[in-house]
Amino acid sequence: MTKLLETEGLQAFYGDFQALFGVDISVGESEAVALIGANGAGKSTFLKALTGLVPSRAKTLSFNGAPVSGWPADRIHRAGMALVPEGRRLFPSLSVEENLLVGAAGGRSGAWNLDAVYDLFPDLVEKRRNPGTALSGGQQQMVAIGRALVRDPKLFLFDEPLSNLDAKLRVEMRSEIKKLHHKLGATMVYVTHDQIEAMTLATKIVVLKGGVVQQIGSPSEIYNRPANLFVADFMGSPAMNLIPAKARRNGSGTRIEIDREGGAPVVLHDTHAGDLPEDIILGLRPEDIAEAGFRAGEDVQEAECLIDMVEPAGADTYVVSRLGGTSMTARLHAETSAHPGESMTLAFDLGKVSYFSPESGQRLN
Ligand code: ATP
């Protein structure tokens, strides 16, 4: 895959404040990369550093084969990076089409590709002569994206483009952006703090915290094999259960012991765990815990748990129970007989387990 964008050791600064600490990311042609992290993680700063809007330093900052470090924003814009900022910001006195063409004159080829916009967003065709204010929220968002698309850019940079939309519109617009990627093979970097957006849109996810990359991987790698406790906790809703435990090697594998207040520890046997230190954090996603009898397989282990809370959620029921001294959420089937205050045997799929070091927070398996 041809690399379109590459950063190595990218640092960014607001005066004395350093917001990015050596970010290494590469974006291949036709890739959709989601940059995800909590508020203040440095996601928008990454886009601003790429486009010359904040001062940055890097070992490598190259776009389309050329080093662009230190280039002014307008030159980067002309080279084919198009930033779609947060919010819609249409000019009310201009028509929809005029709004689409604002700023387009500096496009890569000098030509305007209005057809690409109307092909992707046919809703805008009959509205083209209407004022920008006569559009629905979703249509205004289409114009905001169309304004980048009309320039036929090589790389789209989306900065939380859907954050101001209601839940239904977000889902609709998410598929429009996915279409942009699939239909046109558009290359994009997509900033969000919404993990569903990241999982559904991206071919590659970058998790950022405090200006430092935590993990880069496919959506399934990030979800199934989080590199550390931060990623494990951040990606997934409800979050991955993280349970302190002890690991002891025995003949047939590893004995995992979870302390239980005032009783014998819960013991699970993992035959594939490999070498683990004694103190571990066991990570298991809610969907990898089932009611006994509803999950089979050689790695499935059962334990008795005391139910604290039952939360029906339509298709599934979330059941909060205690395993040792730790609260744990299981995603059970809708008709579960779980009842608060009662015990229930739950089945744990250790084939899906993650182990982390409590000291370093890093993944161990
Ligand atoms: P959000 O999801 O809230 O938009 P983000 O991940 O995009 O967050 P950034 O906006 O990139 O985060 O901010 C990264 C850090 O840089 C934060 O600590 C923020 O306070 C700081 N920062 C951002 N803009 C400025 C600025 N203009 N001056 C000083 N510090 C700034």
Side-chain angles (χ1 to χ4, degrees), residues 18-228:
Q18 184 166 358
L20 295 179
F21 294 83
V23 173
D24 300 350
I25 292 178
S26 79
V27 181
E29 251 177 283
S30 298
E31 262 196 309
V33 176
L35 202 57
I36 187 163
N39 287 334
K43 307 178 297 292
S44 302
T45 302
F46 178 75
L47 299 189
K48 288 181 194 161
L50 293 183
T51 45
L53 297 173
V54 296
S56 67
R57 259 202 314 255
K59 193 166 164 227
T60 309
L61 177 52
S62 74
F63 176 59
N64 203 20
V68 298
S69 195
W71 281 20
D74 61 331
R75 189 165 168 207
I76 291 179
H77 184 80
R78 279 198 305 277
M81 277 198 221
L83 183 63
V84 181
E86 198 173 341
R88 301 166 223 141
R89 295 189 198 96
L90 301 199
F91 295 97
S93 56
L94 301 184
S95 71
V96 167
E97 192 153 296
E98 285 162 344
N99 264 288
L100 284 170
L101 295 174
V102 166
R108 197 157 49 101
S109 59
W112 300 332
N113 196 355
L114 273 167
D115 287 347
V117 180
Y118 293 136
D119 279 354
L120 190 72
F121 302 127
D123 277 13
L124 297 182
V125 177
E126 62 179 47
K127 311 264 183 187
R128 62 210 288 173
R129 311 266 170 249
N130 294 6
T133 45
L135 297 180
S136 70
Q139 289 164 341
Q140 289 180 33
Q141 195 62 52
M142 291 173 192
V143 175
I145 297 169
R147 203 181 265 161
L149 185 56
V150 81
R151 294 176 40 225
D152 188 23
K154 284 192 147 312
L155 176 64
F156 288 87
L157 304 172
F158 288 104
D159 193 357
E160 306 226 25
L162 310 185
S163 59
N164 295 325
L165 303 179
D166 66 45
K168 188 165 175 288
L169 256 185
R170 274 180 90 105
V171 174
E172 283 171 25
M173 287 308 297
R174 203 166 71 204
S175 8
E176 296 300 337
I177 293 178
K178 187 129 189 146
K179 247 193 265 169
L180 176 69
H181 179 234
H182 278 263
K183 247 173 111 173
L184 307 178
T187 312
M188 54 178 76
V189 177
Y190 188 98
V191 160
T192 179
H193 56 245
D194 180 328
Q195 48 172 298
I196 304 293
E197 252 165 56
M199 298 287 290
T200 50
L201 285 172
T203 50
K204 184 155 97 185
I205 295 179
V206 179
V207 185
L208 206 59
K209 179 194 173 199
V212 177
V213 172
Q214 303 293 305
Q215 186 173 7
I216 300 181
S218 67
S220 111
E221 277 162 353
I222 298 275
Y223 190 75
N224 295 314
R225 295 187 54 77
N228 58 33

